Coordinates of all heavy atoms in Angstrom, one line a residue:
E1107 N -40.7 17.0 -0.5 CA -39.9 15.8 -0.5 C -38.4 16.2 -0.4 O -37.6 15.6 0.4 CB -40.0 15.0 -1.8 CG -39.2 13.8 -2.0 CD -39.2 13.2 -3.4 OE1 -40.3 12.9 -3.8 OE2 -38.1 13.1 -4.0
A1108 N -38.0 17.3 -1.0 CA -36.6 17.7 -1.0 C -36.2 18.2 0.5 O -35.2 17.8 1.0 CB -36.3 18.8 -2.0
R1109 N -37.2 19.0 1.1 CA -36.9 19.5 2.4 C -36.8 18.3 3.4 O -35.9 18.3 4.3 CB -38.0 20.4 2.8 CG -37.7 21.1 4.2 CD -38.8 22.0 4.7 NE -38.8 23.3 3.9 CZ -39.7 23.6 3.0 NH1 -40.7 22.8 2.7 NH2 -39.7 24.8 2.5
N1110 N -37.7 17.3 3.3 CA -37.7 16.2 4.2 C -36.4 15.4 4.0 O -35.8 14.9 5.0 CB -38.9 15.3 4.0 CG -40.2 15.9 4.5 OD1 -40.2 16.7 5.4 ND2 -41.3 15.5 3.9
A1111 N -36.0 15.2 2.8 CA -34.7 14.5 2.5 C -33.5 15.2 3.1 O -32.6 14.5 3.6 CB -34.5 14.3 1.0
L1112 N -33.5 16.5 3.1 CA -32.4 17.3 3.6 C -32.3 17.3 5.1 O -31.4 17.8 5.7 CB -32.4 18.7 3.1 CG -32.0 18.8 1.6 CD1 -32.3 20.2 1.1 CD2 -30.6 18.5 1.4
R1113 N -33.2 16.6 5.8 CA -33.1 16.4 7.2 C -32.1 15.3 7.6 O -31.7 15.1 8.7 CB -34.5 16.1 7.9 CG -35.3 17.4 7.9 CD -36.7 17.1 8.3 NE -37.5 18.3 8.2 CZ -38.8 18.4 7.8 NH1 -39.5 17.2 7.6 NH2 -39.4 19.5 7.7
D1114 N -31.7 14.6 6.5 CA -30.6 13.6 6.7 C -29.3 14.3 6.5 O -29.0 14.9 5.4 CB -30.8 12.5 5.6 CG -29.8 11.4 5.7 OD1 -28.7 11.6 6.3 OD2 -30.0 10.3 5.1
P1115 N -28.4 14.3 7.5 CA -27.1 15.0 7.4 C -26.2 14.5 6.2 O -25.4 15.3 5.7 CB -26.4 14.8 8.7 CG -27.2 13.6 9.4 CD -28.6 13.7 8.8
A1116 N -26.3 13.2 5.9 CA -25.5 12.7 4.8 C -25.9 13.3 3.5 O -25.1 13.6 2.6 CB -25.7 11.2 4.7
L1117 N -27.2 13.6 3.3 CA -27.7 14.3 2.0 C -27.2 15.7 2.0 O -26.9 16.3 0.9 CB -29.2 14.1 1.9 CG -29.7 12.8 1.3 CD1 -31.2 12.7 1.3 CD2 -29.2 12.6 -0.1
I1118 N -27.3 16.4 3.2 CA -26.8 17.7 3.2 C -25.3 17.8 2.8 O -24.8 18.6 2.1 CB -27.0 18.4 4.6 CG1 -28.5 18.5 4.9 CG2 -26.3 19.7 4.7 CD1 -28.8 19.1 6.3
R1119 N -24.5 16.8 3.3 CA -23.1 16.7 3.0 C -23.0 16.5 1.4 O -22.1 17.2 0.8 CB -22.5 15.5 3.7 CG -22.1 15.6 5.1 CD -21.7 14.3 5.7 NE -21.1 14.5 7.0 CZ -19.9 14.8 7.3 NH1 -19.0 14.9 6.4 NH2 -19.5 15.0 8.6
G1120 N -23.8 15.6 0.9 CA -23.7 15.4 -0.6 C -24.0 16.6 -1.4 O -23.3 16.9 -2.4
L1121 N -25.0 17.3 -1.0 CA -25.4 18.6 -1.7 C -24.3 19.6 -1.5 O -24.0 20.4 -2.5 CB -26.7 19.1 -1.2 CG -27.6 19.9 -2.2 CD1 -27.8 19.2 -3.5 CD2 -28.9 20.2 -1.5
T1122 N -23.7 19.7 -0.4 CA -22.6 20.6 -0.1 C -21.4 20.3 -1.0 O -20.8 21.3 -1.6 CB -22.2 20.6 1.4 OG1 -23.2 20.9 2.2 CG2 -21.0 21.5 1.6
V1123 N -21.1 19.1 -1.2 CA -20.0 18.7 -2.1 C -20.3 19.1 -3.6 O -19.5 19.6 -4.3 CB -19.8 17.1 -2.1 CG1 -18.9 16.7 -3.2 CG2 -19.2 16.8 -0.7
V1124 N -21.6 19.0 -4.0 CA -22.0 19.4 -5.3 C -21.8 20.9 -5.5 O -21.3 21.4 -6.4 CB -23.5 19.0 -5.6 CG1 -23.9 19.7 -6.9 CG2 -23.6 17.5 -5.7
F1125 N -22.3 21.7 -4.4 CA -22.1 23.2 -4.5 C -20.6 23.5 -4.6 O -20.2 24.4 -5.4 CB -22.7 23.8 -3.2 CG -24.1 24.2 -3.3 CD1 -25.1 23.4 -2.6 CD2 -24.5 25.3 -4.0 CE1 -26.4 23.8 -2.7 CE2 -25.8 25.6 -4.1 CZ -26.8 24.9 -3.4
Q1126 N -19.8 22.9 -3.8 CA -18.4 23.2 -3.8 C -17.7 22.8 -5.1 O -16.8 23.5 -5.5 CB -17.7 22.5 -2.6 CG -18.1 23.1 -1.2 CD -17.6 22.4 0.0 OE1 -17.4 21.2 -0.1 NE2 -17.3 23.1 1.0
G1127 N -18.2 21.7 -5.7 CA -17.7 21.3 -7.0 C -18.0 22.3 -8.1 O -17.1 22.6 -8.9
L1128 N -19.2 22.8 -8.1 CA -19.6 23.9 -9.0 C -18.8 25.1 -8.8 O -18.4 25.8 -9.8 CB -21.1 24.1 -8.9 CG -22.0 23.0 -9.5 CD1 -23.4 23.2 -9.1 CD2 -21.9 22.9 -11.0
A1129 N -18.6 25.5 -7.5 CA -17.8 26.7 -7.2 C -16.4 26.6 -7.7 O -15.8 27.5 -8.2 CB -17.8 26.9 -5.7
L1130 N -15.7 25.4 -7.5 CA -14.3 25.2 -7.9 C -14.1 25.0 -9.4 O -13.2 25.6 -10.0 CB -13.8 24.0 -7.1 CG -13.3 24.2 -5.7 CD1 -13.0 22.8 -5.1 CD2 -12.1 25.1 -5.6
Y1131 N -15.0 24.2 -10.0 CA -14.8 23.8 -11.4 C -15.8 24.2 -12.4 O -15.6 24.0 -13.6 CB -14.7 22.2 -11.4 CG -13.8 21.6 -10.4 CD1 -14.3 20.9 -9.3 CD2 -12.4 21.8 -10.5 CE1 -13.5 20.3 -8.4 CE2 -11.6 21.2 -9.5 CZ -12.1 20.5 -8.5 OH -11.3 19.9 -7.6
G1132 N -16.9 24.8 -11.9 CA -18.0 25.0 -12.8 C -18.7 23.7 -13.2 O -18.4 22.7 -12.6
A1133 N -19.7 23.8 -14.1 CA -20.4 22.6 -14.6 C -19.5 21.8 -15.6 O -19.2 22.3 -16.6 CB -21.7 22.9 -15.2
T1134 N -19.1 20.6 -15.2 CA -18.3 19.8 -16.0 C -19.0 18.5 -16.4 O -19.9 18.1 -15.7 CB -16.9 19.5 -15.4 OG1 -17.1 18.7 -14.2 CG2 -16.2 20.7 -15.1
V1135 N -18.6 17.8 -17.4 CA -19.1 16.5 -17.8 C -18.0 15.5 -17.9 O -17.2 15.6 -18.8 CB -19.9 16.6 -19.2 CG1 -20.5 15.3 -19.6 CG2 -20.9 17.7 -19.2
P1136 N -18.0 14.5 -17.0 CA -18.8 14.4 -15.8 C -18.4 15.5 -14.8 O -17.4 16.1 -14.9 CB -18.4 13.0 -15.2 CG -17.7 12.3 -16.4 CD -17.1 13.4 -17.2
Q1137 N -19.3 15.6 -13.8 CA -19.0 16.7 -12.8 C -17.8 16.4 -11.9 O -17.7 15.3 -11.3 CB -20.3 16.9 -11.9 CG -20.2 18.0 -10.9 CD -19.9 19.4 -11.6 OE1 -20.7 19.7 -12.5 NE2 -18.9 20.1 -11.2
K1138 N -16.9 17.3 -11.8 CA -15.8 17.2 -10.9 C -16.2 17.6 -9.5 O -16.9 18.6 -9.4 CB -14.6 18.0 -11.4 CG -14.0 17.5 -12.7 CD -12.9 18.4 -13.2 CE -12.3 17.9 -14.5 NZ -11.2 18.8 -15.0
L1139 N -15.7 16.9 -8.5 CA -16.1 17.2 -7.1 C -14.9 17.3 -6.2 O -13.9 16.6 -6.4 CB -17.0 16.1 -6.6 CG -18.3 15.8 -7.4 CD1 -19.0 14.5 -6.9 CD2 -19.3 16.9 -7.2
P1140 N -15.0 18.2 -5.2 CA -13.9 18.3 -4.2 C -13.8 17.2 -3.2 O -12.9 17.2 -2.3 CB -14.2 19.7 -3.6 CG -15.7 19.7 -3.6 CD -16.1 19.1 -4.8
A1141 N -14.7 16.3 -3.2 CA -14.7 15.1 -2.3 C -15.6 14.1 -3.0 O -16.6 14.4 -3.7 CB -15.3 15.5 -0.9
P1142 N -15.3 12.8 -2.7 CA -16.2 11.7 -3.3 C -17.5 11.7 -2.6 O -17.6 12.0 -1.4 CB -15.4 10.5 -3.1 CG -14.6 10.8 -1.9 CD -14.2 12.2 -1.9

Side-chain angles (χ1 to χ4, degrees):
E1107 178 191 302
R1109 184 183 286 109
N1110 288 336
L1112 285 171
R1113 288 175 185 144
D1114 183 340
L1117 277 174
I1118 294 181
R1119 282 173 172 271
L1121 208 53
T1122 300
V1123 167
V1124 172
F1125 269 108
Q1126 292 174 325
L1128 289 167
L1130 280 170
Y1131 309 113
T1134 62
V1135 181
Q1137 184 60 52
K1138 295 179 182 178
L1139 301 170

